[in-house]
Amino acid sequence: MRILVSNDDGVFAPGLKVLAEALRELGEVTVVAPDRNKSGASNSLTLDNPVRIARAENGYYAVTGTPTDCVHMAIHEILEAKPDLVVSGINSGPNLGDDVLYSGTVAAAMEGLLHGIPALALSLNGHDHAHYDSAARVAVALAKELRAASLPRRLLNINVPNLPWERILGVEVTRQGFRHRAEDVVRATDPKGLPVYWIGRPGGSADAGPGTDFHAIDHDRVSVTPLQIDLTDYQAFAPVDAWLSGLRP
Ligand code: MN
């Protein structure tokens, strides 16, 4: 199996190394990751600058760009053959509910899916004393399942409790929950007295009932949310069509 591993926390992130090493039991692993932390990059491509690729001593490729750039460059430029699977992570911190719209971790996986490759995005619900091994275990198990199922074109967003494997209570298929609106922008002053701003933290969970990714994580269970790229709101077709009636030429 040829596996492409990327992330959004950057090429030096501990979760990336744990993931890449765990997946080696399944085949040939190539790591292509941003040269720095690009969390929150979403599906952005670098179009205003050239992109450079460097190879570290450990064989990892570091790209001066976004997670999407990394997977794009890997497929079009670095790898000799299209990978069988793209795995992104293991992110430091969760990607739950509407986080997926901003997530570079999910974006790297989605770029794989857009190239017709099955993809997993992995996030750990914690930053300190992180149990990346638990998330890597889920990645390996699901990669084996995808291989056994002849690599269906699926994108799975996986969040793992920050616990030792023995203390995780289960694994469930979930839907995306939803957060409250983000906290306020934080205003500060630079050394010249000019205002600077920090984007506020994400809001807490709002739609977090049974069946959601939030609910699974809150109950020490792994959440696995199958994602699709089509954002069309099919239920809005009828009212929007009615609004268009006066516009018809
Ligand atoms: Mn990140």
Side-chain angles (χ1 to χ4, degrees):
M1 210 181 184
R2 289 184 310 270
I3 303 173
L4 171 62
V5 172
S6 191
N7 76 347
D8 76 353
D9 291 339
V11 73
F12 300 113
L16 180 71
K17 190 170 173 228
V18 174
L19 181 62
E21 285 178 5
L23 288 167
R24 271 188 224 288
E25 74 165 89
L26 293 172
E28 187 188 319
V29 174
T30 306
V31 179
V32 183
D35 67 342
R36 66 199 71 186
N37 192 331
K38 299 296 275 184
S39 295
S42 187
N43 298 85
S44 57
L45 282 167
T46 299
L47 301 175
D48 55 348
N49 267 304
V51 172
R52 294 175 195 273
I53 303 172
R55 192 158 193 196
E57 243 174 62
N58 62 4
Y60 290 8
Y61 293 88
V63 175
T64 61
T66 66
T68 301
D69 291 332
C70 290
V71 173
H72 198 89
M73 286 295 158
I75 294 168
H76 290 272
E77 197 60 34
I78 297 171
L79 297 169
E80 278 170 17
K82 203 157 112 168
D84 299 310
L85 179 67
V86 173
V87 188
S88 176
I90 301 162
N91 192 58
S92 170
N95 278 300
L96 298 162
D98 31 323
D99 292 343
V100 301
L101 292 177
Y102 301 98
S103 171
T105 306
V106 174
M110 199 176 282
E111 186 68 6
L113 188 76
L114 284 165
H115 285 83
I117 305 163
L120 307 173
L122 285 126
S123 304
L124 193 77
N125 186 37
H127 304 277
D128 301 323
H129 309 293
H131 292 281
Y132 288 114
D133 286 346
S134 296
R137 197 165 175 146
V138 178
V140 171
L142 280 174
K144 285 179 180 168
E145 292 295 334
L146 284 167
R147 182 176 60 184
S150 306
L151 300 168
R153 192 175 168 277
R154 295 271 180 222
L155 167 56
L156 303 179
N157 181 39
I158 301 154
N159 282 272
V160 180
N162 186 21
L163 292 169
W165 183 251
E166 307 74 45
R167 287 186 49 205
I168 292 177
L169 300 181
V171 182
E172 63 181 276
V173 184
T174 54
R175 68 175 177 86
Q176 250 179 261
F178 220 79
R179 290 186 183 276
H180 289 288
R181 61 178 282 272
E183 290 177 15
D184 288 339
V185 167
V186 177
R187 185 184 162 136
T189 309
D190 79 0
K192 291 179 179 168
L194 299 170
V196 293
Y197 305 90
W198 286 100
I199 299 287
R201 291 175 52 78
S205 59
D207 174 9
T212 65
D213 45 8
F214 284 108
H215 191 269
I217 284 292
D218 286 345
H219 291 80
D220 294 343
R221 296 167 71 83
V222 176
S223 85
V224 179
T225 307
L227 298 180
Q228 59 184 4
I229 295 172
D230 183 356
L231 298 179
T232 309
D233 181 355
Y234 292 96
Q235 290 172 356
F237 269 50
V240 173
D241 193 49
W243 301 336
L244 300 182
S245 59
L247 284 172
R248 292 212 173 86

